[in-house]
Amino acid sequence: MRLVLQLTLLPILAIALLLGACKQATQKTDQSRAKTSARTSGEPWWKEAVVYQIYPRSFKDSNGDGVGDLQGIISKLDYVKSLGIDMVWLNPIYASPNKDNGYDISDYQNIMKEFGTMQDFDALLKGFHDREIKVFMDLVVNHCSSEHAWFKSARSSRNSPYYKYFHWWPAEKGKPPYRWSIFDEKGDAWEYNKATNSYYLHYFADAQPDLNWENPQLRQEIYKMMRFWLDKGIDGFRLDAIAFCSKDTTWQPLPAEYNGQWGMYYASGPYLHDYMQEMNREVLSKYNVATVAEAMGDVERVMKFVDPDRKELNMAYYFEAIDFGYLPNEYKMPNPKGYDFVAWKKIYAKWTEAFSKKGWGTIYLANHDQPRMLTRWGNDSPEFRDAASKMLSTFILSMRGTAFYYYGDEIGMSNIKFDKVEEYNDIELLTNYAQVKAKGGDLKRFLEGMKISSRDNGRTPMQWENSENGGFGAGKPWLKVNPNYTSVNVAAQEKDPKSVLNYFRKMVQLRKKERTLIYGDFTLVDAENPSIFAYTRSLEGRTILVLLNFKAVEAKVNIDGLDLSKAKVLLGNYPDAKAINQLKPYEALVLSL
């Protein structure tokens, strides 16, 4: 009887397997067709990508030690796929003593112990690639860790073969010329080393010695290391602080014209672009990968990195808009009067116009170096959280340039707003707190400002569900989970078709469907409107109008003669959205004209 049943079931099982295979093949064909139709212009793939940034330490803890890890990310691969994104950017996962959360690398070709093993990384990379998601690695090569083998040897003797891998000032020449340090309490970028009787340079913390790019041997070491990762199959690099790698080794006094803007001076090294072109020639041009520079400066400076004729890098961040609204000569202290919204819009218009002529830009509102976009640029009060989150997602995904989106923003995570300095982990904040304290400054005012601008606001653990630690992991998290995880979490939003999460998914799909949102010309509408950011995207006879109310009150936009009578609502963040020019608080409308 058992044999008869088995024989009877065999054809049924065969048919089921065949139908399943056909369904999978159809899905893959549909995906392939969608990609082909989206790329009829012959443009490179990275222009059309939506990039999702994962801060590994805070994404998912798999082993209960309180630190997110690679196996944690692996457990959430299907979630990441469900977002519809094309590429993941991983913050540094290399071996590191974590003075600066992985941006101090002690071994470029090994994985941080807290995060797992190289086998874990290989499995993670395969998992993403199996889901047709590309992977960006974050690469820090302006500096390394003082625990790196190169520096350990270099600081032991001037005769070390690695001594010239770093910048030194011999003590017999007296005190080195002043250089400012970003993460040093004394503000001094030279640190004395007794064994060599010399000072080493560190633009960041004293545990982050700057690498000597002027040494061709050092550059070849870096290129060899980059090939190691590219040969593994990664899809590109985000190059951290890359604009600082070239130094003026004549060590002239800091130029007065920079007036304290030393980051701009550091980004003006004499051989910076020679090095970028060499990197491209010897490494990047050999692979079908993408690069994004953490660049500094005005349009002219940043454009040098991405002008295709120069053969350097592909994309660049610009900081003018994201750093807007802080008081001058203070560390990220928000202006209590708010920011000039009209001027902010014009910054985006300027950069978008510049990149429309040559090169390619990026669009983002948050990352690991920024607070949560909802708190900084929207409104995190319960009344407006959902609408503001959706509006900001609409902005990022309807602008020109490759969209970079930070983990947790897809559910509307907000600033945690710590009350005590002891609750912070960030070396940048702790350094500046110490400086304010040393000067007898107002520490209470400082901490109030940090509730808006601190980087740790954007680094709290991912809020997966309404359970202990927000479902991040069983152990005490390395940084506190935002208490609002009980109401703001993935599990709750998965069930709600009107949630921030599901709106984000819809907006991603709209961007993929509408080439106009990727390649279309950008025109600012009603530029002087103090509440609404409005613009058109136009391509091949199709025009899309985007209306975004950035304020907590209703506002009207002057659409400059654009006809809304036959406009079609492609997406809106309020129920029953209508094609009108009167917007509710934090309303977003994407209209086809």
Side-chain angles (χ1 to χ4, degrees):
M1 182 66 177
R2 183 178 298 168
L3 180 60
V4 172
L5 282 172
Q6 286 175 339
L7 289 171
T8 305
L9 288 171
L10 280 173
I12 298 171
L13 288 170
I15 292 168
L17 287 170
L18 181 62
L19 288 171
C22 288
K23 184 178 179 183
Q24 275 190 327
T26 302
Q27 287 174 339
K28 287 184 178 179
T29 302
D30 289 344
Q31 291 170 353
S32 178
R33 283 175 183 159
K35 289 180 180 179
T36 302
S37 64
R39 296 192 179 129
T40 53
S41 60
E43 296 283 1
W45 59 265
W46 41 265
K47 288 189 176 183
E48 300 179 8
V50 176
V51 183
Y52 182 72
Q53 181 186 353
I54 291 177
Y55 197 66
R57 178 170 292 273
S58 297
F59 199 63
K60 177 65 177 174
D61 172 19
S62 72
N63 59 8
D65 66 356
V67 177
D69 47 48
L70 300 187
Q71 283 294 334
I73 300 173
I74 288 171
S75 73
K76 296 296 183 181
L77 285 172
D78 288 337
Y79 169 77
V80 176
K81 173 67 176 176
S82 78
L83 298 175
I85 59 93
D86 307 283
M87 191 168 197
V88 160
W89 156 23
L90 297 173
N91 287 95
I93 58 172
Y94 318 94
S96 169
N98 277 307
K99 300 289 186 182
D100 186 21
N101 285 12
Y103 283 86
D104 49 322
I105 299 170
S106 56
D107 187 342
Y108 285 97
Q109 291 179 208
N110 265 313
I111 303 296
M112 193 185 304
K113 289 180 180 178
E114 294 94 328
F115 288 172
T117 65
M118 190 62 77
Q119 289 72 30
D120 292 329
F121 174 78
D122 292 339
L124 177 64
L125 183 62
K126 184 179 186 300
F128 276 127
H129 283 173
D130 286 348
R131 290 162 177 80
E132 298 186 298
I133 296 172
K134 296 182 184 293
V135 177
F136 256 153
M137 293 281 281
D138 209 330
L139 187 60
V140 192
V141 286
N142 172 72
H143 52 269
C144 66
S145 166
S146 57
E147 296 300 310
H148 195 291
W150 295 343
F151 190 71
K152 284 184 179 180
S153 176
R155 76 185 310 171
S156 68
S157 168
R158 291 192 190 184
N159 295 322
S160 165
Y162 297 104
Y163 188 76
K164 291 183 180 178
Y165 276 30
F166 301 90
H167 293 282
W168 296 92
W169 181 271
E172 60 266 24
K173 291 175 65 175
K175 194 173 182 181
Y178 177 71
R179 289 294 181 271
W180 170 73
S181 171
I182 300 168
F183 292 166
D184 186 88
E185 291 184 17
K186 306 181 297 296
D188 187 350
W190 291 103
E191 187 75 14
Y192 180 69
N193 182 61
K194 185 176 180 181
T196 58
N197 191 33
S198 55
Y199 299 82
Y200 67 87
L201 183 72
H202 59 93
Y203 280 174
F204 292 85
D206 58 8
Q208 295 169 291
D210 280 39
L211 292 163
N212 181 10
W213 275 71
E214 280 63 47
N215 181 346
Q217 190 175 349
L218 178 276
R219 298 201 302 276
Q220 290 305 319
E221 293 266 22
I222 289 171
Y223 302 158
K224 179 181 176 182
M225 174 269 296
M226 293 174 74
R227 292 186 199 102
F228 168 83
W229 289 103
L230 293 168
D231 289 341
K232 270 187 171 291
I234 70 162
D235 303 285
F237 291 109
R238 181 258 185 190
L239 294 159
D240 180 80
I242 195 66
F244 293 170
C245 69
S246 173
K247 311 295 195 290
D248 179 1
T249 54
T250 63
W251 307 116
Q252 298 300 311
L254 288 171
E257 62 265 26
Y258 285 92
N259 192 30
Q261 300 298 313
W262 305 130
M264 292 287 287
Y265 170 65
Y266 291 167
S268 307
Y271 302 109
L272 171 61
H273 294 285
D274 293 333
Y275 300 153
M276 295 303 97
Q277 288 165 14
E278 180 183 75
M279 180 193 291
N280 183 295
R281 188 168 58 248
E282 297 199 19
V283 183
L284 301 173
S285 62
K286 314 294 185 185
Y287 301 84
N288 180 25
V289 295
T291 49
V292 58
E294 187 181 31
M296 303 281 292
D298 55 19
V299 169
E300 183 180 359
R301 286 176 181 235
V302 174
M303 190 63 72
K304 288 180 179 179
F305 285 99
V306 298
D307 182 345
D309 295 336
R310 295 173 60 85
K311 293 182 171 57
E312 296 188 18
L313 306 176
N314 301 128
M315 301 171 276
Y317 297 126
Y318 55 91
F319 291 89
E320 187 177 1
I322 210 75
D323 288 342
F324 196 71
Y326 292 136
L327 292 173
N329 305 315
E330 291 194 65
Y331 166 68
K332 293 184 179 179
M333 184 60 63
N335 190 327
K337 297 178 181 178
Y339 66 98
D340 185 336
F341 180 63
V342 171
W344 192 66
K345 291 191 294 183
K346 291 178 180 178
I347 291 172
Y348 279 105
K350 175 181 69 176
W351 284 88
T352 304
E353 173 65 18
F355 284 122
S356 71
K357 295 174 181 175
K358 59 182 178 179
W360 192 254
T362 59
I363 183 73
Y364 70 104
L365 285 175
N367 59 34
H368 65 289
D369 281 334
Q370 303 295 333
R372 284 288 169 187
M373 71 174 189
L374 175 61
T375 303
R376 178 85 165 91
W377 304 111
N379 190 323
D380 61 12
S381 67
E383 180 184 1
F384 295 118
R385 169 187 300 281
D386 281 17
S389 293
K390 294 173 183 177
M391 184 273 292
L392 294 172
S393 292
T394 309
F395 173 67
I396 294 173
L397 293 165
S398 64
M399 287 286 283
R400 198 171 193 276
T402 297
F404 281 73
Y405 202 87
Y406 194 48
Y407 87 96
D409 284 344
E410 76 272 21
I411 60 170
M413 283 178 63
S414 56
N415 282 10
I416 192 167
K417 302 177 182 176
F418 289 129
D419 288 312
K420 301 174 182 178
V421 69
E422 292 80 13
E423 295 177 294
Y424 286 98
N425 174 277
D426 180 23
I427 187 173
E428 184 179 59
L429 178 138
L430 297 175
T431 296
N432 282 274
Y433 180 88
Q435 290 176 345
V436 172
K437 185 176 181 179
K439 295 174 183 176
D442 188 338
L443 294 174
K444 183 177 179 181
R445 173 179 175 270
F446 177 84
L447 289 176
E448 282 301 306
M450 295 308 99
K451 290 181 179 181
I452 301 300
S453 62
S454 164
R455 302 194 299 180
D456 272 351
N457 286 302
R459 298 177 176 185
T460 57
M462 181 68 169
Q463 296 163 206
W464 293 106
E465 58 191 42
N466 181 10
S467 65
E468 188 178 6
N469 299 328
F472 169 68
K476 181 182 178 182
W478 74 278
L479 195 63
K480 280 186 178 180
V481 180
N482 194 318
N484 68 15
Y485 75 84
T486 55
S487 57
V488 179
N489 62 71
V490 172
Q493 294 193 22
E494 288 281 17
K495 301 172 187 175
D496 179 4
K498 298 178 182 178
S499 67
V500 174
L501 173 60
N502 283 312
Y503 182 91
F504 170 75
R505 288 171 170 149
K506 290 175 186 176
M507 190 62 212
V508 169
Q509 292 308 313
L510 180 60
R511 183 177 179 87
K512 290 179 179 299
K513 180 182 176 183
E514 294 284 354
R515 292 181 67 250
T516 305
L517 292 178
I518 299 170
Y519 296 113
D521 293 336
F522 171 94
T523 303
L524 194 58
V525 174
D526 198 5
E528 302 302 321
N529 192 306
S531 301
I532 293 177
F533 203 149
Y535 46 90
T536 57
R537 305 295 312 280
S538 303
L539 182 71
E540 298 168 354
R542 180 161 175 73
T543 298
I544 292 176
L545 174 65
V546 181
L547 303 176
L548 307 167
N549 186 357
F550 272 72
K551 298 298 171 67
V553 294
E554 287 197 9
K556 189 174 184 179
V557 58
N558 177 3
I559 56 173
D560 293 334
L562 295 171
D563 184 8
L564 296 187
S565 62
K566 296 180 181 178
K568 178 184 176 184
V569 177
L570 299 178
L571 194 61
N573 65 343
Y574 274 80
D576 303 319
K578 295 181 176 61
I580 57 175
N581 63 342
Q582 180 81 22
L583 269 65
K584 300 179 181 69
Y586 299 106
E587 185 169 8
L589 280 175
V590 184
L591 307 173
S592 172
L593 300 184

